[in-house]
Structure formats: C-alpha cells, structure tokens
Amino acid sequence: ETGVTQTPRHLVMGMTNKKSLKCEQHLGHNAMYWYKQSAKKPLELMFVYNFKEQTENNSVPSRFSPECPNSSHLFLHLHTLQPEDSALYLCASSPSSGLFYSGANVLTFGAGSRLTVL
Amino acid sequence: KQEVTQIPAALSVPEGENLVLNCSFTDSAIYNLQWFRQDPGKGLTSLLLIQSSQREQTSGRLNASLDKSSGRSTLYIAASQPGDSATYLCAVEASGGGADGLTFGKGTHLIIQP
C-alpha cells in the first residue's frame, strides 16, 4: 500500500450509468490529482486540486466531474461515458502542486481504478 | 509542446543481463526528469529523479543519466532480475512545473526471463 487508496479497483458500466470513483490519502498531502492511462497512450493529467481548490482542468469532457470535499478525499463522478473512456484512472497526491524538482515534493500514486464502458 | 518518447516500447531479456532503456524529449527547458516503475494493475512508483543541473542519479542497481542539451536520458539496470519485470515510464517536468508541467512517455514494457 502506498498510502493512496482507490475504490473500486474495477468498474464496468453502461453508457447511461452514473458511477463514482473514490480516492483517499492519509499522507497529509495538500494536492491531489486524477490521471487517465489508456492503452498505448502516455499518462494524461485530468484534474489537479490544491488545498481543495481545483487548479487545473486539462480540457476534460464534462461527463467527468471531479469533487474534492477535503484534502484527503477526491472523487471522479462519471455519467454518460463513451467506450473510448475505458482506461485505468489513477489518483495521486503530493505535499503541494508546485515544482517537483527538489525531490521533496513527490507524487504518490494509488493502484488505479480499471474502468470498462460497454 | 513537450513530447517524450521511449525506446524500445517492449524488451525481453534473460536474467542477469545489463540493459538500457532510452527516453528522449523535445524541449530541453526542463526542471527535472523522473523515472517511474509500474507493475501490472498498479500505480506508478518513483525510482529516480534527476534535477536539470545533475548528470546522473543512482539507486542500487539502477543508474539514470541525463543529457539535457541533447534531450536524452537513459535508465541502466545492472544484473537484471525477474522482479525487475514491469513497465518503466519517463516523465519530464517543464513549463509551469508541478503536475501540470509533467509530460510522460508511453513507457517501456520490460520482461526479464528467469
């Protein structure tokens, strides 16, 4: 366990369903992230939250809706998804959303939620 | 726009061999370069971080080098073991920095044969 827990680990949903992915960290980090990892594509940043405030929305379709009620929890609400949205969704956290260059600000990833959209 | 390329996409070698994974990036204005490991069905684990002012970093059997001017990095794995089997990703931190400045490669899928 890395300290970042994602649930569910696997999710199969139809295009008309509404579901949510959950991420939880108790590392005392202030920044949390959602990444999308599709087959044969680089990791894509979706959303960044710093101290519960969204600081980045990387042109993500509105069928993905993030929620960060506190610095320890992050949700990704899913509705009317498309089959091409099938992917591994990774949550990560770090002490802050600033520069990583010093090595003191390190990304810690969860194990991911494998989403299949039928 | 920064692009990161990793070669080869996949590699299979017998146990005990030394091997090199390659990463190249198009914009040399980076803060740092990181190598990550991803096991099947798992998240990413940071292996090594090289700051832009550094030439290399070592951790155990792993050695990462950085040539910023030519836009290249290598990850050298000595005396490979079956437990090294995983996907290795390279990422550079550039532009605004932080997570929104991280650009990842597609990874090299490594299999070490016992």
Side-chain angles (χ1 to χ4, degrees):
Chain A
E1 283 295 330
T2 63
V4 179
T5 304
Q6 291 189 240
T7 54
R9 292 294 312 277
H10 300 274
L11 177 63
V12 179
M13 59 186 290
M15 290 190 284
T16 59
N17 292 157
K18 289 185 180 181
K19 297 286 184 183
S20 295
L21 306 181
K22 179 182 177 182
C23 177
E24 185 173 355
Q25 59 91 7
H26 295 288
L27 300 171
H29 290 172
N30 297 306
M32 297 187 77
Y33 315 83
W34 280 116
Y35 283 90
K36 176 182 179 182
Q37 188 175 35
S38 305
K40 302 187 187 302
K41 292 179 69 176
L43 211 63
E44 301 172 64
L45 179 66
M46 301 176 70
F47 300 104
V48 181
Y49 278 82
N50 199 34
F51 291 95
K52 303 188 299 177
E53 298 296 322
Q54 187 179 126
T55 59
E56 180 77 16
N57 176 339
N58 205 18
S59 303
V60 179
S62 60
R63 57 186 184 269
F64 295 92
S65 175
E67 179 189 1
C68 188
N70 54 61
S71 293
S72 299
H73 294 85
L74 183 65
F75 295 89
L76 188 62
H77 303 300
L78 316 169
H79 62 99
T80 58
L81 294 191
Q82 305 298 312
E84 59 265 29
D85 296 323
S86 298
L88 181 67
Y89 289 84
L90 291 164
C91 174
S93 70
S94 68
S96 77
S97 64
L99 293 171
F100 297 123
Y101 77 97
S102 68
N105 192 25
V106 179
L107 276 174
T108 302
F109 283 85
S113 293
R114 172 70 63 184
L115 172 67
T116 302
V117 181
L118 302 175
Chain B
K1 178 187 172 187
Q2 178 76 268
E3 291 185 8
V4 178
T5 303
Q6 290 188 246
I7 294 173
L11 181 63
S12 180
V13 300
E15 179 179 5
E17 284 199 8
N18 303 324
L19 55 100
V20 175
L21 307 182
N22 297 290
C23 172
S24 62
F25 46 96
T26 54
D27 186 347
S28 62
I30 63 169
Y31 290 111
N32 64 59
L33 182 143
Q34 298 184 61
W35 283 94
F36 292 86
R37 170 184 172 137
Q38 185 175 28
D39 292 287
K42 299 287 181 65
L44 279 65
T45 301
S46 180
L47 296 173
L48 290 164
L49 181 150
I50 311 176
Q51 296 182 25
S52 61
S53 58
Q54 297 175 322
R55 297 283 294 185
E56 64 178 337
Q57 281 286 333
T58 298
S59 176
R61 294 181 293 108
L62 304 180
N63 176 276
S65 68
L66 174 64
D67 185 341
K68 201 174 89 160
S69 60
S70 68
R72 295 178 188 274
S73 175
T74 61
L75 180 66
Y76 176 82
I77 303 177
S80 59
Q81 302 171 359
D84 295 329
S85 298
T87 298
Y88 291 80
L89 294 102
C90 165
V92 295
E93 183 179 3
S95 63
D100 51 347
L102 273 180
T103 304
F104 285 83
K106 295 181 184 180
T108 293
H109 181 54
L110 176 64
I111 296 175
I112 306 299
Q113 306 155 10

